[in-house]
Amino acid sequence: VRLVLDTSALFSMNKLPKGELYTTPGVIGEMKKYGDERAGYLAALVNVIEPTKESMKRVREGARITRDSSRLSPVDMEVVALARDLDAAILTDDYSIQNLAKYLGISYSPVNIQGITELVKWRLKCLGCGRVWDEPYPECPVCGSKLRTSRSRK
Ligand SMILES: [Zn+2]
């Protein structure tokens, strides 16, 4: 299996799936931004490749048509474009990415269906106010401080 992993997939997975794994430099950048210590060794386990400009263009056009543009970050679009380049499936829990992939004829799968998640969730703890978030926000929605990943069993 050839799989492209997005940030939501890497964020919620405790183990990597089997197969040929790919992601984009932007995804690794997001992991680093969230203080995820796995970002450091992920590049050794997953092929990190930039999508072609042509695919990025097609993906941006597609997102405009499906009206997912506002919900998709440039990194999300990179993931979809790379899957298009590699003829790979996307592993993602992001509904907008799934919707766009469907439109572009790219196969995708939610993380939980793969049977690779354990009951361990990566959560984000605010370094400012100490609140804990389930969503991968770029910064604390309350106080704007940096967030750091922390594991918690449910
Ligand atoms: Zn905060």
Side-chain angles (χ1 to χ4, degrees), residues 26-93:
V27 169
I28 298 289
E30 281 191 333
M31 303 286 289
K32 284 188 183 145
K33 202 167 71 187
Y34 301 138
D36 196 317
E37 62 274 24
R38 293 173 299 172
Y41 63 79
L42 216 49
L45 303 171
V46 178
N47 301 294
V48 183
I49 298 178
E50 196 113 37
T52 61
K53 285 203 173 76
E54 200 241 324
S55 275
M56 278 303 281
K57 194 166 158 250
R58 292 293 293 273
V59 165
R60 269 192 225 107
E61 284 167 5
R64 259 199 301 276
I65 291 163
T66 63
R67 301 193 177 171
D68 286 310
S69 293
S70 61
R71 285 181 293 275
L72 292 169
S73 70
V75 173
D76 294 337
M77 297 209 200
E78 268 188 13
V79 167
V80 179
L82 185 61
R84 185 182 180 270
D85 284 333
L86 299 170
D87 198 18
I90 306 174
L91 197 57
T92 180
D93 280 333

Side-chain angles (χ1 to χ4, degrees), residues 126-131 133 140-145 147:
C126 177
L127 297 177
C129 67
R131 283 183 174 83
W133 304 97
C140 178
V142 171
C143 73
S145 298
L147 300 174

